[in-house]
């Protein structure tokens, strides 16, 4: 794959040399007519006089600028389209030997008075937009996320997979970093994506090979959630209500007051997102000469919840903008199971014990949080010369991780049980200073400093059931206190420029990491200091006839989090224990990617070839602990490799039918260094999603999609393939101010999750079937033409509950 990547770069250099004589012939810059803010998502089409199909099509850069090269002399028309804005048309653009280049200056796009909600059915946006260093997922392109979260919007993205527990992975890894409006999320990973209502999301950026501007954390890159901010002048607002047949329910709202120089917003959310499944597990553990075979069967249920309020204020001077944002809330996850549990024990091949129980477990992880951000941006001129600074702080109090597990006999008398309490306090701070200097019209230098600090302290305790005394007692030998501090100081520099049809961006980031772990467990204290470099490179070339080729490289890191390192035993349920590893090492990742994109009239096709090499892969391993009980721990299992292809086709089949086809095919290989706990594994993973949207008149729309998820492997086992189909219907009323979306997930009840683990002393098969049917109804209302997107109610394959058991 590295050879292929080098070959692609060689081709780029060759084509660049071959086209050295070409130059920019038409250029301009696109801005919002009201706010003067650059617009970088518009479709810019160039037509030759007398022809119906565009001869070239492009997207503006982040500063709103665009250009066309390699044009023949002649007369052209320029068309600029963006949903929510009036169409811009410029005719009689004449190129000749005496007029070799034309600067159209600043093009001011006028927002439609009727607002985006008035035109969303008539002008569907592209599902995925490819930029030089990221993919942009439009939240409005998928109806099925109504009442859902950021996870639901991401489901149709190539290589995104959500397991039975609702945990998100991308290209086989869960090591991604979540940002909200360019700042790190209050939460991390899957929990961060679940906390943000889909109705508050404008679009989602997926940055698979982040530049040096971004944190080096996250092995597969960054998922940046862009929330809604734009509104008409005056007071605008939106409210969404949702409920489902599994008793998920929620309401969220957002109010915005837009004035000439200032804008304020106030919003909130109350969401309970439930998953219900039927759980079945057969497990055999071998400890010494004792083999224990257990069978668990029954319902499992989980609930992700978030109750929050947020507010912000922005004030704009001619060259300086100030902003303040605050948010507070209570969020977390609950999980419970009520299972029939039986076990049989053999010693030296002879049955010595057989029992049947009711297993009841409950888990609660919650936090009350408060966060705030202050920021300032200053423009030295209108050519992109600017400096910005911000400071962010977050406090998580009343944080508790609680486990409860009990075994009752058939007379409903408790035989075994335990309670676990982990009480925590968390502080997060972040500051940054960023500077951009445009040294010429198309080139710029960026530099900056960033500081990050995370601090957590607390204690852990457990109580166990005494069957003889019929009471719980505290285990003083398990009590533990801990302190964890993680600090990073970073500097970066970036050089970016455009030469004719060639774009490039190269950067270097330096990070110093200081980490401290203190624990009352003897011998578990650790301290770590290290300075490291993380380079990045992004190259782009636009061929004649609107062919685009992008190539990128980024070095990344996944540092151990506290739960990776906690040196004491906790329990997920009575027969599943966990322990951290204070000596876990960081993962180092080298990512290579080549992207191709072609617009064909109203259609587009894109492809990505990627290769990722990860050293010291961190994975959760499971081993026998006691008779019938397994122990999960984190370990550096070895190295892994992912090489694959992602495809996306966006087709406007007819005026009323549009198709989005996403597919991914990649080879995944793990070279395991812990042979006694697993083995080398490899698999060919594939996923296909076909999304159909049908406009039934002016106010009605149907979405029908099919999803096939191929098998995948882990160090200790594999998961089987499964498929499912979703259906959604949306009806708009009252001049499109009110819309109702009815979504039916897994229409044919076909989704089945099957996971197999196999080692020399552990055999486990887990089968999970989601509750059926799963139907969601979402009502959305907007006033004063708030710039609302068509929200979605989508399965992210999060149909199951119980995969970590």
């Amino acid at each position: 794959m590295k050879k292929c990547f080098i070959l692609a770069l060689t081709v780029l250099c060759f084509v660049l040399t071959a086209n050295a004589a070409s130059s920019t012939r038409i250029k301009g810059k696109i801005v919002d007519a009201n706010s003067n803010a650059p617009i970088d998502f518009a479709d810019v089409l160039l037509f030759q006089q007398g022809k119906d199909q565009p001869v070239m099509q492009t997207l503006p850069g982040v500063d709103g600028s665009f250009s066309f090269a390699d044009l023949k002399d002649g007369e052209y028309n320029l068309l600029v389209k963006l949903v929510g804005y009036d169409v811009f048309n410029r005719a009689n653009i004449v190129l000749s030997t005496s007029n070799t280049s034309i600067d159209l200056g600043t093009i001011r796009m006028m927002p439609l008075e009727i607002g985006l909600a008035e035109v969303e059915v008539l002008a569907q946006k592209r599902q995925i937009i490819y930029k030089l260093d990221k993919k942009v997922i439009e939240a409005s392109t998928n109806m099925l996320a109504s009442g859902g979260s950021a996870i639901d919007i991401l489901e149709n993205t190539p290589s995104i997979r959500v397991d039975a527990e609702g945990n998100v992975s991308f290209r086989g890894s869960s090591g991604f970093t979540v940002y909200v409006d360019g700042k790190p999320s209050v939460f991390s990973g899957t929990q961060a994506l679940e906390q943000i209502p889909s109705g508050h999301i404008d679009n989602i950026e997926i940055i698979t090979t982040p530049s040096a501007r971004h944190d080096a954390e996250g092995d597969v890159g960054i998922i940046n959630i862009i929330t809604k901010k734009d509104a008409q002048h005056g007071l605008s607002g939106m409210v969404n209500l949702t409920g489902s047949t599994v008793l998920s329910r929620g309401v969220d709202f957002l109010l915005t007051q837009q004035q000439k120089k200032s804008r304020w917003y106030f919003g909130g959310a109350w969401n309970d997102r439930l998953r219900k499944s039927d759980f079945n597990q057969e497990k055999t553990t071998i400890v010494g000469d004792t083999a224990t075979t257990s069978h668990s069967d029954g319902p499992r249920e989980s609930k992700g919840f978030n109750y929050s309020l947020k507010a912000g204020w922005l004030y704009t001077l001619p060259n300086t903008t100030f902003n303040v944002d605050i948010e507070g809330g209570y969020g977390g996850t609950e999980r419970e199971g009520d299972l029939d549990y039986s076990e049989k024990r053999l010693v030296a091949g002879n049955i010595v014990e057989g029992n049947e129980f009711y297993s009841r477990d409950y888990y609660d992880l919650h936090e009350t949080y408060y966060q705030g951000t202050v920021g300032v941006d200053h423009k030295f001129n209108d050519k992109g010369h600017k400096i910005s600074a911000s400071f962010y702080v977050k406090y998580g109090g009343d944080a508790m991780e609680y486990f409860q597990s009990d075994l009752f006999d058939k007379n409903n008398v408790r035989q075994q049980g335990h309670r676990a309490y982990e009480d925590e306090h968390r502080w997060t701070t972040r500051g940054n200073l960023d500077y951009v200097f445009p040294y010429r019209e198309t080139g710029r230098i960026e530099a900056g400093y960033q500081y990050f600090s995370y601090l957590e302290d607390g204690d852990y305790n457990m109580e166990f059931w005494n069957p003889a005394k019929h009471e719980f007692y505290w285990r003083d030998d398990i009590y533990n206190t801990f302190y964890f501090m993680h600090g990073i100081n970073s500097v970066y520099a970036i050089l970016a420029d455009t030469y004719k049809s060639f774009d490039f961006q190269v950067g270097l980031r330096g990070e110093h990491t200081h980490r401290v772990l203190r624990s009352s467990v003897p011998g578990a204290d650790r301290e770590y200091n290290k300075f490291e470099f993380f380079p990045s490179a992004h190259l782009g070339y636009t061929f004649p006839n609107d062919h685009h080729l992008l190539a990128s490289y980024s070095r990344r890191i996944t540092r151990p989090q506290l739960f990776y390192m906690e040196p004491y035993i906790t329990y997920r349920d009575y027969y599943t224990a966990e322990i951290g590893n204070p000596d876990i090492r960081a993962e180092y990742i080298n990512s290579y990617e080549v992207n191709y994109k072609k617009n064909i009239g109203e259609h587009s096709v894109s492809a990505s070839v990627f290769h990722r090499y990860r050293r010291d892969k961190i994975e959760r391993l499971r081993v026998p602990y006691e008779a019938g009980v397994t122990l999960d721990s984190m370990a550096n299992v070895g190295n892994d490799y992912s090489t694959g292809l992602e495809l996306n086709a966006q087709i406007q089949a007819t005026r009323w039918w549009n198709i989005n086809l996403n597919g991914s095919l990649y080879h995944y290989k793990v070279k395991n260094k812990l042979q006694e706990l697993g083995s080398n594994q490899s698999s060919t993973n594939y996923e296909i999603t076909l999304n159909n949207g049908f406009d039934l008149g002016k106010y009605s729309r149907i979405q029908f999609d099919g999803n096939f998820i191929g098998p995948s492997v882990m160090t200790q086992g594999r998961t089987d393939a499964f498929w499912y189909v979703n259906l959604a219907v949306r009806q708009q009323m009252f001049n499109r101010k009110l819309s109702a979306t009815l979504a039916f997930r897994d229409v044919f009840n076909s989704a089945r999750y099957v996971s197999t683990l196999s080692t020399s002393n552990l055999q486990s098969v887990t089968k999970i079937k989601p509750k059926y049917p799963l139907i969601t109804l979402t009502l959305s209302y907007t006033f004063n033409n708030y710039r609302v997107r068509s929200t979605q109610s989508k399965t992210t394959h999060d149909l199951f509950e119980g995969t970590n058991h």
Side-chain angles (χ1 to χ4, degrees), residues 301-315:
E301 178 180 320
S302 71
K303 180 177 75 172
F305 57 91
N306 182 47
Y307 319 119
S308 63
L309 293 172
K310 64 179 182 180
W313 175 74
L314 180 144
Y315 187 77

Side-chain angles (χ1 to χ4, degrees), residues 18 260 377 422 493 512 519 525 545 572 643 667 787:
K260 186 175 182 180
D377 295 272
E422 189 170 47
H512 178 266
S519 173
D525 290 356
N545 300 319
R572 293 185 64 84
T643 304
H667 182 73
R787 192 176 172 185

Side-chain angles (χ1 to χ4, degrees), residues 139-181:
S140 61
T141 57
N142 188 345
M143 275 171 35
L144 277 164
S146 298
S149 67
I151 294 179
D152 299 302
I153 297 173
L154 288 168
E155 180 185 16
N156 282 350
T157 304
S159 298
I160 290 283
R161 177 178 293 208
V162 181
D163 68 15
E165 196 87 355
N167 297 311
V168 177
S169 63
F170 180 49
R171 293 179 177 172
S173 173
S174 59
F176 55 85
T177 302
V178 177
Y179 280 32
V180 179
D181 293 326

Side-chain angles (χ1 to χ4, degrees), residues 80-124:
V80 183
K81 299 190 303 181
L82 179 61
V83 177
Y85 289 85
D86 198 2
V87 174
F88 175 87
N89 186 35
R90 171 75 177 271
N92 302 319
I93 302 173
V94 180
L95 295 174
S96 64
T97 54
S98 61
N99 193 21
T100 58
S101 64
I102 296 176
D103 186 350
L104 299 176
T106 300
I107 297 173
R108 300 184 180 278
M109 298 290 288
M110 185 63 65
L112 290 170
E113 292 300 322
I114 57 175
L116 180 61
E118 297 296 324
V119 298
E120 63 176 338
V121 172
L122 302 178
Q124 295 295 324

